[in-house]
Amino acid sequence: MTVLPEVLPDGLLAPRYDGLALSSVLPGAAGALGLDLTTATGTSSLRARADLGLPAADRVCVVLVDGLGHANLTERAGHAPFLRSLLGTSRVLTSSFPSTTAAAIGTFGTGTSPGRTGMLGYTQRDTVSGRLANMVSWEGAADPRDLQQEPPVLERLAEAGVEVSSVGPARFAGSGMTVAALRGARYLAAESIADRVDTVAFELTAPGIVYLYWGDVDKAGHHHGWRSRQWGDALSDLDRELGRLARSLPHGTLLIVTADHGMVDVDRSKRWDVAKTPELGRGVDLVGGEPRAVHVYARPDQSSSVAARWSSVLGDDAIVALREDAVAAGWFGPVADHVLPAIGDVVVAMRGRATVVDSRTQTAASLQLVGVHGSLTRTEMQVPLLVTTT
């Protein structure tokens, strides 16, 4: 039994893993540098460059702004005059499912899909220990090179002789996520956005590619909501420095700004806690994923009955699917055999601003988040592709 509709309801958007997709950005950048690469899912760097409309360049800066969805940016564009100036010629890309950093960074870094990378959400079942692994901290997860077996695009660029650098906080150097999805680059630690901009500008005095990550917009959204004053301030700070970056880069540098996902603010009247809702806990071993995109790991032979109960309890606030149906629908893109067991036996995509939490495994702080993401709404799934040549 499954309750996955043949066509997604209005307002929901299926992920894409080619064409105008987050997975095309780094392959497209490789194509702009003149390299002809093909990912395991068949994404050609030269085709990706054409799909994204990128010009040729010998210097490329790719900026990924965590949590800066296309709808979020356009509605709050008054806080971002530089980024707003690029919206007129921008393209809209589709993120991965789940639309969350842990999955999207794998897709972004390899040009493939969560079904190939095995990076499936904030938490997921480790197929060896059977316990939940955290895919951001990497606590409880397998060695990143074993879990994520696709060659990252930055690694392939470095092997081709391109100067490749990655700029981010010191704590991310050598982290599980960095090694899994973004290995191959020289990692340059810089904490403030101003220091990161200065580091990028220096690195691109010579030909090559630099990847810059910024997470404070997402952080503000989680704690205060994306319509908050704090979110607008975080966007303003970012915009000011990205404008300075564009003015600082050598003439002819290609600057690409994108994001991993968007964000919605929760409706606490539509939040279910598995720990306090017996029908959601029946027949379930583990609950992983995140509040907007849940991996439900059922006990043996309980998947169909678990799916039916979750569908009955959540009603119109969720799309509930058995693993095989979510895979067949392409939610995770092409799925490798070794990844399949890590996907929930039941996969739940929340609608509107509804969420599902599990207070047995989530921290008190995480239960209080205002801004969330992970599901299939256009606000979460669509991200901007902002491009300029300096």
Side-chain angles (χ1 to χ4, degrees):
M1 173 186 175
T2 180
V3 289
L4 178 64
E6 291 185 8
V7 178
L8 289 175
D10 288 345
L12 301 188
L13 186 67
R16 290 191 63 171
Y17 300 106
D18 61 5
L20 292 177
L22 180 64
S23 58
S24 297
V25 173
L26 282 185
L33 289 167
L35 276 78
D36 186 4
L37 307 176
T38 302
T39 70
T41 50
T43 299
S44 158
S45 60
L46 297 182
R47 175 60 185 272
R49 174 194 166 190
D51 288 339
L52 302 183
L54 301 178
D58 62 3
R59 293 170 172 84
V60 179
C61 175
V62 179
V63 180
L64 189 140
V65 183
D66 199 329
L68 187 64
H70 180 262
N72 308 128
L73 173 60
T74 54
E75 185 164 326
R76 304 297 304 274
H79 293 269
F82 170 68
L83 295 178
R84 185 176 67 241
S85 73
L86 304 179
L87 279 172
T89 56
S90 68
R91 287 173 167 81
V92 181
L93 306 182
T94 303
S95 187
S96 64
F97 179 80
S99 51
T100 191
T101 303
I105 285 291
T107 290
F108 170 80
T110 65
T112 62
S113 66
R116 297 287 305 189
T117 67
M119 299 169 69
L120 301 165
Y122 185 75
T123 60
Q124 63 190 59
R125 181 171 60 188
D126 178 74
T127 57
V128 176
S129 71
R131 296 188 292 271
L132 282 182
N134 187 305
M135 300 305 295
V136 174
S137 68
W138 220 260
E139 182 179 356
D143 182 280
R145 294 174 184 267
D146 293 333
L147 190 149
Q148 199 300 96
Q149 300 177 15
E150 300 298 314
V153 176
L154 296 183
E155 183 176 61
R156 297 185 68 186
L157 286 169
E159 290 171 350
V162 177
E163 287 294 323
V164 183
S165 303
S166 180
V167 181
R171 67 183 185 279
F172 288 174
S175 71
M177 188 180 291
T178 298
V179 173
L182 300 165
R183 62 181 178 264
R186 282 188 306 120
Y187 195 90
L188 304 170
E191 301 304 324
S192 71
I193 185 61
D195 286 346
R196 292 182 205 181
V197 163
D198 291 342
T199 301
V200 170
F202 177 79
E203 287 299 304
L204 285 176
T205 55
I209 182 170
V210 179
Y211 163 67
L212 167 62
Y213 170 84
W214 187 244
D216 281 20
V217 172
D218 183 71
K219 182 179 178 180
H222 279 310
H223 291 291
H224 305 286
W226 71 271
R227 288 190 168 94
S228 67
R229 171 187 60 78
Q230 292 89 340
W231 196 91
D233 290 345
L235 179 60
S236 293
D237 292 343
L238 169 75
D239 185 79
R240 181 181 61 253
E241 289 300 323
L242 290 185
R244 187 169 69 85
L245 174 63
R247 296 189 298 272
S248 302
L249 291 171
H251 178 71
T253 302
L254 175 61
L255 174 61
I256 301 169
V257 181
T258 190
D260 49 355
H261 56 77
M263 181 173 285
V264 300
D265 292 347
V266 300
D267 179 349
R268 295 200 186 280
S269 71
K270 293 189 175 184
R271 184 176 79 171
W272 288 264
D273 186 346
V274 178
K276 299 177 182 179
T277 313
E279 283 298 287
L280 295 183
R282 284 177 55 199
V284 173
D285 271 339
L286 288 172
V287 177
E290 43 228 298
R292 294 282 296 167
V294 189
H295 289 283
V296 185
Y297 300 100
R299 293 170 188 158
D301 302 318
Q302 294 289 305
S303 297
S304 293
S305 57
V306 166
R309 284 191 290 272
W310 278 63
S311 180
S312 177
V313 171
L314 301 179
D316 291 339
D317 288 308
I319 302 295
V320 179
L322 294 173
R323 173 200 288 157
E324 54 266 33
D325 295 305
V327 169
W331 286 11
F332 301 99
V335 177
D337 289 344
H338 72 280
V339 173
L340 190 63
I343 299 174
D345 299 292
V346 178
V347 181
V348 181
M350 303 305 293
R351 299 181 64 186
R353 298 190 292 139
T355 54
V356 172
V357 300
D358 188 348
S359 58
R360 298 168 299 184
T361 58
Q362 292 177 238
T363 66
S366 71
L367 296 175
Q368 298 304 312
L369 295 180
V370 178
V372 290
H373 49 79
S375 195
L376 297 168
T377 69
R378 291 182 182 274
T379 302
E380 293 161 281
M381 291 295 294
Q382 291 186 323
V383 297
L385 180 75
L386 307 170
V387 177
T388 187
T389 301
T390 61

